[in-house]
């Protein structure tokens, strides 16, 4: 098994501006994912479907969404749904259970829903970092303004002279 840091996609290096200083570092054979908006799976519950629509809108507006993100987005939205359900259950039953031990002393134990809430929140955070959707992940990216069509490219090229 290879150890060390996960390789960063070339698109992320491009957005960071890593190739400006040394363009020879640019990888030439890296596959490019197909552009498009993935379909929301039917098996996601209401929380998951709402989050899927929300997150795909955000990623599309940031120009980082592709059809290849479908499985990752689905896993994120499923985990988000579990987190949301656990939050609801903690609100209903509380995060701690109060009881008595064999000697009659008061004891507290953590509610299992609170454990699920915490683990799901951590998993969601990791997925958001993976997609570049946290504040710290965004600071590592530099996005240039996208040229909309050929005429805009023409104007941009000749207006600088």
């Amino acid at each position: 098994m290879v150890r060390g840091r996960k390789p960063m996609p070339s698109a992320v290096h491009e957005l960071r501006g890593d190739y400006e200083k040394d363009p020879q570092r640019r990888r030439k054979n890296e596959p490019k994912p197909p552009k498009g908006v993935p379909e929301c799976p039917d098996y996601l519950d209401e929380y998951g479907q709402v989050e899927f629509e929300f997150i795909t809108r955000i990623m599309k507006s940031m120009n980082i969404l592709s059809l290849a993100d479908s499985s990752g987005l689905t896993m994120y939205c499923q985990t988000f749904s579990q987190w949301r359900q656990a939050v609801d259950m903690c609100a209903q039953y509380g995060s701690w259970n109060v009881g008595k031990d064999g000697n009659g002393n008061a004891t507290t134990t953590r509610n299992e829903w609170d454990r699920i809430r915490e683990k799901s929140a951590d998993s969601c955070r990791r997925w958001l970092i993976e997609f570049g959707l946290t504040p710290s992940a965004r600071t590592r990216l530099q996005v240039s303004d996208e040229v909309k069509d050929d005429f805009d490219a023409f104007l941009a090229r000749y207006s600088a002279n």
Side-chain angles (χ1 to χ4, degrees):
M1 177 184 264
V2 179
R3 294 183 184 247
R5 291 184 182 172
K6 292 187 297 183
M8 188 76 61
S10 292
V12 174
H13 284 293
E14 192 76 44
L15 290 171
R16 285 184 179 177
D18 293 346
Y19 299 134
E20 289 176 12
K21 187 174 183 180
D22 187 10
Q24 268 60 19
R25 291 181 49 210
R26 188 172 281 130
R27 296 182 213 136
K28 294 173 181 36
N29 296 331
E30 188 171 312
K32 299 208 182 332
K35 294 246 181 218
V37 179
E39 294 272 330
C40 181
D42 294 334
Y43 56 84
L44 286 176
D45 64 1
E46 185 179 349
Y47 286 134
Q49 288 178 357
V50 169
E51 184 65 12
F52 193 94
E53 297 302 322
F54 175 74
I55 208 78
T56 53
R57 249 183 301 136
I58 289 173
M59 290 176 68
K60 185 177 179 184
S61 70
M62 292 174 66
N63 203 21
I64 58 172
L65 183 64
S66 79
L67 291 173
D69 297 326
S70 178
S71 296
L73 282 171
T74 301
M75 286 186 262
Y76 162 72
C77 291
Q78 180 66 39
T79 306
F80 177 85
S81 176
Q82 290 172 352
W83 170 78
R84 191 64 180 91
Q85 290 170 9
V87 167
D88 290 346
M89 295 305 280
C90 286
Q92 185 175 354
Y93 297 109
S95 297
W96 295 91
N97 296 324
V98 179
K100 297 198 180 232
D101 63 6
N103 297 330
N105 299 323
T107 60
T108 56
T109 56
R110 190 171 177 192
N111 190 333
E112 193 58 35
W113 285 109
D114 194 49
R115 294 179 203 277
I116 293 169
R117 180 203 52 80
E118 183 180 34
K119 287 181 182 181
S120 297
D122 189 50
S123 294
C124 283
R125 182 186 55 81
R126 287 188 196 144
W127 277 113
L128 290 171
I129 290 169
E130 193 74 25
F131 289 122
L133 296 173
T134 63
S136 63
R138 279 193 307 275
T139 60
R140 296 182 186 106
L141 302 177
Q142 298 174 3
V143 180
S144 60
D145 292 336
E146 187 175 311
V147 177
K148 302 219 185 306
D149 59 16
D150 291 338
F151 184 70
D152 287 339
F154 173 80
L155 288 177
R157 187 177 324 135
Y158 292 106
S159 66
N161 291 335

